Amino acid sequence: TDGNYQENMPATEIAKITTDNPWYILGAGAMGCLWASYLTLAGLPVVLITRNKRNGNAINLTKANHSQSITIKQITLGELKPSTLTIKHLLVTTKAQQTISALSDIKPHIDNDAILFILQNGMAGKHIANLLPTQQLITGITTDGAYRTDELSVVHAGTGETLLGDKSIIDCLPKNHLAIKFCDDIDNKQWQKLAINCAINGLTAIYQCRNGELLENEEALSRIKLLCNEITAVMHALGLSVHQSIFDQTLHTLTITADNYSSMYQDCQQQQSTEIDFINGYLCSEAQRLNINCPENQRVLAAIKQIEQSYAQ
Ligand code: KPL
């Protein structure tokens, strides 16, 4: 499905990225810095929107022990607000729980016809669509692994792939640097990713371990089984096809990301709010709507909420 659609597509339908009309990136975390780097390397103009002024204007990108410094244009929210600047292309890489507040901050600058490419864990899509009803929202799902070692240094630790639910922007993305593919079944893929995050992320924060260590923990494994059964029931009730068992997919992800610390583990370690409301929280609210019991997901949700509350003490 990917790759050779372009010949049939009129040039006017392909969004144009120029210096006057760059990719703006909201969310300068690991994914935001990674994409800012690769978009720049692909020759596409980029502006990183940051809350506070950063020390320096270069991102240090490391992949397979090779580091390079990439100059990136940045604008702070304070500089953006009084300007008349209009955003036509926005890559959203904020954490799910920060997305609505961050988008509300820049909403006056987002063009009514803007394209938003949303690349994050969890299910925040509906809230974004309510906030920005006229803009085109394109969902992306990525299995690339990245972490930051400081504000502007990012390590591309695991090479995965990025799927997106719309072809129109593929030529405006760094497809020579990242494995980017169109997916005609993005809602299903997003649910599979949600399912895996429901089964892994909370437990790594509860047992305070790397992903792979869950495989050696019998109690954790039996909880993963329960979580997967509940998620599968919800997916079936929603009419989503589950080709490969969610439990098998989870075990596979745990094996290939064995050395990773999950994003939720990292958030808890840094005493930051987590994406739990958009992962197990979302699953539980869908289950409730469908009258399906999800006690194990509720248990994980409650345990992570308790961890978050303990920071405030
Ligand atoms: O997506 C992830 C995350 O940490 O958020 C997994 C797949 C669990 C990898 O760590």
Side-chain angles (χ1 to χ4, degrees):
T1 41
D2 53 291
N4 51 14
Y5 68 94
Q6 203 201 330
E7 296 93 281
N8 310 325
M9 201 145 166
T12 47
E13 283 190 30
I14 298 172
K16 289 207 173 54
I17 303 291
T18 60
T19 324
D20 291 338
N21 180 20
W23 270 113
Y24 285 90
I25 301 183
L26 187 65
M31 273 304 148
C33 288
L34 188 77
W35 276 72
S37 304
Y38 285 127
L39 282 164
T40 305
L41 288 176
L44 293 155
V46 168
V47 179
L48 197 57
I49 304 171
T50 57
R51 197 160 284 282
N52 305 309
K53 194 133 201 102
R54 305 255 159 138
N55 284 330
N57 62 351
I59 289 179
N60 189 34
L61 169 69
T62 303
K63 189 180 177 190
N65 291 327
H66 171 76
S67 292
Q68 57 186 314
S69 176
I70 299 158
T71 304
I72 306 281
K73 195 167 167 192
Q74 295 173 53
I75 186 166
T76 60
L77 274 180
E79 288 162 340
L80 178 69
K81 279 196 176 147
S83 75
T84 55
L85 191 144
T86 304
I87 296 174
K88 295 208 162 105
H89 293 90
L90 182 65
L91 170 59
V92 180
T93 50
T94 44
K95 292 217 170 259
Q97 70 274 19
Q98 289 153 0
T99 302
I100 291 304
S101 122
L103 281 174
S104 303
D105 273 341
I106 64 164
K107 189 180 168 187
H109 296 278
I110 304 178
D111 196 67
N112 285 342
D113 296 326
I115 294 175
L116 274 76
F117 176 30
I118 298 152
L119 197 59
Q120 58 182 199
N121 274 343
M123 297 287 204
K126 231 185 250 160
H127 302 282
I128 303 175
N130 288 341
L131 182 72
L132 300 168
T134 65
Q135 287 79 355
Q136 187 188 348
L137 308 183
I138 299 179
T139 303
I141 298 161
T142 188
T143 51
D144 275 304
Y147 61 89
R148 278 188 310 161
T149 50
D150 65 47
E151 252 190 352
L152 286 170
S153 295
V154 64
V155 178
H156 190 183
T159 311
E161 63 176 15
T162 302
L163 302 177
L164 65 157
D166 191 294
K167 289 173 179 173
S168 63
I169 56 165
I170 281 195
D171 279 345
C172 313
L173 299 177
K175 56 188 194 313
N176 294 337
H177 300 266
L178 289 166
I180 299 171
K181 292 182 185 156
F182 167 67
C183 169
D184 60 9
D185 199 9
I186 200 78
D187 292 343
N188 202 314
K189 276 279 178 325
Q190 201 180 14
W191 258 94
Q192 283 177 32
K193 177 86 199 286
L194 178 84
I196 288 166
N197 288 137
C198 281
I200 296 176
N201 292 26
L203 290 181
T204 58
I206 291 165
Y207 291 104
Q208 303 194 6
C209 66
R210 289 178 199 265
N211 293 354
E213 287 173 76
L214 291 179
L215 292 166
E216 293 147 26
N217 176 337
E218 254 176 59
E219 183 182 287
L221 267 182
S222 61
R223 293 183 71 177
I224 290 175
K225 187 128 216 161
L226 294 173
L227 290 167
C228 289
N229 288 344
E230 294 175 7
I231 299 159
T232 307
V234 172
M235 288 181 72
H236 279 150
L238 287 168
L240 293 159
S241 50
V242 184
H243 299 302
Q244 195 194 350
S245 97
I246 296 296
F247 185 63
D248 288 348
Q249 289 189 54
T250 302
L251 296 186
H252 176 70
T253 305
L254 286 174
T255 308
I256 60 170
T257 65
D259 289 339
N260 279 10
Y261 284 110
S262 84
S263 51
M264 197 168 290
Y265 170 94
Q266 293 182 49
D267 287 339
C268 288
Q269 259 346 72
Q270 290 159 21
Q271 306 214 338
Q272 282 172 8
S273 70
T274 73
E275 296 180 310
I276 199 72
D277 284 336
F278 298 86
I279 298 180
N280 304 76
Y282 180 83
L283 190 273
C284 289
S285 68
E286 283 296 280
Q288 198 173 16
R289 195 172 63 79
L290 297 159
N291 261 324
I292 296 171
N293 275 337
C294 284
E296 197 55 38
N297 277 279
Q298 292 281 7
R299 224 177 123 198
V300 169
L301 175 63
I304 300 297
K305 292 259 177 214
Q306 203 171 3
I307 293 175
E308 287 181 340
Q309 268 157 25
S310 72
Y311 308 154
Q313 311 303 309

